[in-house]
Amino acid sequence: MTTRTERPGYPALVLTMLLVVYTFNFLDRQILGILAKPIQASLNLDDKQFGAIGGTAFAILYSVLGVPLALAADRWGKTRVVAGSLVVWSGFTALCGTAAGFWQLFLYRLGVGVGEAGGAAPSYALIADYFPVERRARALAIYSMGIPIGLGGGVLLGAYIAQHVNWQAAFIVMGVAGILVAPIFLALVRDRFPPTVAVKGAPSPLTVMPILMRKPAYWLLSVGAGCSSMAGYGLALWAPKIIAVQFGWTAPDQLVKVGQFMGALLLIGGSFGIFMGGVVSDRLGKLDRAWYCRVPAIAWLITAPMFILGFNTPTPILAWCILLVPNALNTLWLGPIITASQHLAPSRMRAGTSGTFLLINNLLGLGLGPWLMGAISVSLKAKYGDQSLGIAAMIGVCLYLVAAVLALLAVRPLKRGWVEEGADVPAPSQSQVTGAILLMASLVVWIVNLVLFPKLAITALAALLTIAGLVLLIRPAKAMA
């Protein structure tokens, strides 16, 4: 008898439901960006503080908990972790509508990050379980369309609700809607493989971290994607405010106009770029795995100058047409690079592999991107006034050029580090596992030190963790090839 997971159309249903959940993931993130002006006015926040709320608050626990929740998904079931995470992040999104000050909103965004930490990595692993490698980049690209749909939907719905009710209601509506989706997802989606089978034979779930971190391809791909995400998440939070200033749409009754401009850009450009990235990479990747790196690199090289051109175009229609191009290209990397990263470790460690990759990407992208643009804006405010945020964004998009260089440098290491389907690798030593954990902890401490608490003692702690982690990680071990 054919089980539900073996039915021909079932993978498409799983992918559809994962797309719905991922859309709510980005709805709840992007709603903050379109509501920047009313929130900042209501809670008396400057750009640097709001950048910390929009990025760092979310990223700290989101990034750190991503790996343990991904490992938990391998042991206890991917669908359970995804559904539970949806309930948690949606609940904290609703609570954001009750915030009355900086630290209260900061803590609620920490809670949103806790919930969303368990969403992406198990979803990537479910897709890898249901789709063979030759179709996987395309499936991941379809899943990743939740980003532009969620971003576009967030600015549109958030703008309408905020303009006609208030910004608090926008958070509450989005949060409650996500909670209602969770039981539907849990009823329809099943793990393809029992959790105990998925991790059978693994010496320790944490072994995936040093396996990846000892490969140059991992660092080049994850830091490259992180640089792209620094620019991308910074723009996701600040672009609505930049567009409002650029075209004089700053009155409260013009919030919907900003939402329509941004929503159309994100929906059309982002969806096209992500899907085409998966299609092109699936086809070219069969010929040469280097295209999993080359396709994103080419896209990033075009993205940076097009954003700068768009932010300097005075006509809304022409600016929209120009900005459509980088909004399509800046998300094209998702399908190919995530597919490549999943082949840097054995297939039985897929969720852990995704979580470890996302840890670097999100700590850099979310932890620093929105805050960095806000900090640059604050430093330029005295000289450039309301134009300071737009100038900060133009500086920030240069990170796409850094991402392109790192992706091109990853071509040869990716080929050397590629792990075929069903293949295994020697287990690392316990000291190397400890080194990997210390290295990841040091990155968190560095970001907290830079953004929230710039104290000498915290700097010293971060440096010690980094040195200890590197020494343990690179120490030769008989267990490693």
Side-chain angles (χ1 to χ4, degrees):
M1 181 177 178
T2 302
T3 63
R4 180 194 296 189
T5 59
E6 294 172 339
R7 294 172 186 168
Y10 191 69
L13 174 62
V14 171
L15 185 58
T16 300
M17 290 305 301
L18 290 173
L19 172 61
V20 171
V21 172
Y22 204 40
T23 297
F24 272 94
N25 185 308
F26 278 85
L27 275 170
D28 293 345
R29 293 192 206 183
Q30 183 58 26
I31 190 175
L32 197 67
I34 191 62
L35 301 177
K37 188 175 178 61
I39 292 174
Q40 286 184 271
S42 175
L43 303 184
N44 194 27
L45 306 174
D46 64 25
D47 288 349
K48 191 174 180 179
Q49 288 177 309
F50 193 71
I53 289 171
T56 311
F58 180 89
I60 292 172
L61 291 182
Y62 175 72
S63 303
V64 172
L65 293 179
V67 173
L69 286 174
L71 299 172
D74 276 337
R75 287 190 179 276
W76 302 328
K78 302 176 184 73
T79 55
R80 293 176 184 174
V81 171
V82 172
S85 298
L86 174 58
V87 172
V88 173
W89 89 59
S90 296
F92 276 103
T93 296
L95 284 173
C96 287
T98 68
F102 171 79
W103 282 109
Q104 193 174 8
L105 186 55
F106 188 93
L107 292 173
Y108 288 151
R109 292 300 291 178
L110 278 177
V112 174
V114 170
E116 294 197 13
S123 298
Y124 290 152
L126 276 170
I127 291 169
D129 288 343
Y130 276 102
F131 292 88
V133 65
E134 64 272 11
R135 295 170 53 206
R136 194 169 298 153
R138 190 176 308 183
L140 284 166
I142 292 172
Y143 168 73
S144 297
M145 287 175 69
I147 297 174
I149 295 172
L151 292 176
V155 296
L156 283 169
L157 293 174
Y160 275 104
I161 297 171
Q163 183 168 314
H164 293 96
V165 187
N166 54 46
W167 66 265
Q168 292 91 342
F171 280 111
I172 294 170
V173 169
M174 296 292 188
V176 171
I179 292 172
L180 295 176
V181 169
I184 300 173
F185 174 85
L186 201 57
L188 293 178
V189 179
R190 293 286 183 272
D191 286 7
R192 185 175 183 186
F193 305 112
T196 53
V197 174
V199 297
K200 185 178 180 181
S204 166
L206 292 174
T207 55
V208 69
M209 294 175 68
I211 288 172
L212 292 171
M213 291 182 194
R214 288 171 62 88
K215 294 186 175 183
Y218 167 75
W219 290 106
L220 291 167
L221 290 176
S222 58
V223 174
C227 288
S228 171
S229 294
M230 284 176 68
Y233 283 124
L235 291 173
L237 183 69
W238 293 118
K241 190 174 180 180
I242 293 169
I243 293 299
V245 171
Q246 184 176 349
F247 300 123
W249 298 338
T250 55
D253 60 355
Q254 292 181 307
L255 189 60
V256 169
K257 185 180 291 187
V258 178
Q260 291 170 338
F261 185 98
M262 290 301 305
L265 267 182
L266 295 165
L267 283 168
I268 298 171
S271 298
F272 178 81
I274 289 174
F275 182 74
M276 288 307 298
V279 172
V280 171
S281 298
D282 269 344
R283 292 183 179 179
L284 295 178
K286 294 177 184 178
L287 304 175
D288 187 349
R289 288 169 183 159
W291 285 107
Y292 287 113
C293 299
R294 290 173 184 158
V295 169
I298 293 169
W300 284 327
L301 288 172
I302 301 170
T303 295
M306 293 301 291
F307 266 126
I308 293 172
L309 179 60
F311 288 143
N312 285 282
T313 301
T315 307
I317 295 177
L318 182 57
W320 188 92
C321 293
I322 293 171
L323 290 171
L324 187 66
V325 175
N327 271 281
L329 295 177
N330 73 340
T331 53
L332 189 142
W333 67 270
L334 286 155
I337 286 190
I338 291 170
T339 297
S341 70
Q342 287 191 330
H343 281 274
L344 293 174
S347 57
R348 60 190 168 86
M349 299 179 179
R350 279 172 180 154
T353 299
S354 298
T356 306
F357 171 79
L358 289 172
L359 177 56
I360 297 290
N361 180 64
N362 291 320
L363 278 174
L364 293 177
L366 280 166
L368 292 178
W371 171 84
L372 181 61
M373 284 191 187
I376 295 173
S377 173
V378 169
S379 69
L380 298 174
K381 192 80 172 179
K383 185 174 182 179
Y384 295 101
D386 289 343
Q387 301 299 321
S388 64
L389 190 56
I391 295 171
M394 286 186 278
I395 295 171
V397 298
C398 294
L399 287 164
Y400 286 120
L401 303 179
V402 178
V405 172
L406 293 174
L408 292 173
L409 291 174
V411 169
R412 290 185 179 178
L414 176 63
K415 291 181 178 181
R416 291 195 301 267
W418 190 278
V419 179
E420 298 291 349
E421 291 285 326
D424 211 339
V425 297
S429 66
Q430 184 57 47
S431 66
Q432 289 167 341
V433 173
T434 303
I437 295 171
L438 290 176
L439 202 57
M440 285 300 187
S442 74
L443 182 56
V444 177
V445 177
W446 279 118
I447 291 174
V448 171
N449 177 226
L450 177 65
V451 178
L452 297 175
F453 305 108
K455 305 294 183 182
L456 181 61
I458 300 178
T459 304
L461 174 62
L464 286 173
L465 288 172
T466 302
I467 294 169
L470 286 172
V471 168
L472 292 173
L473 184 64
I474 65 177
R475 177 184 293 177
K478 293 181 180 180
M480 292 296 295

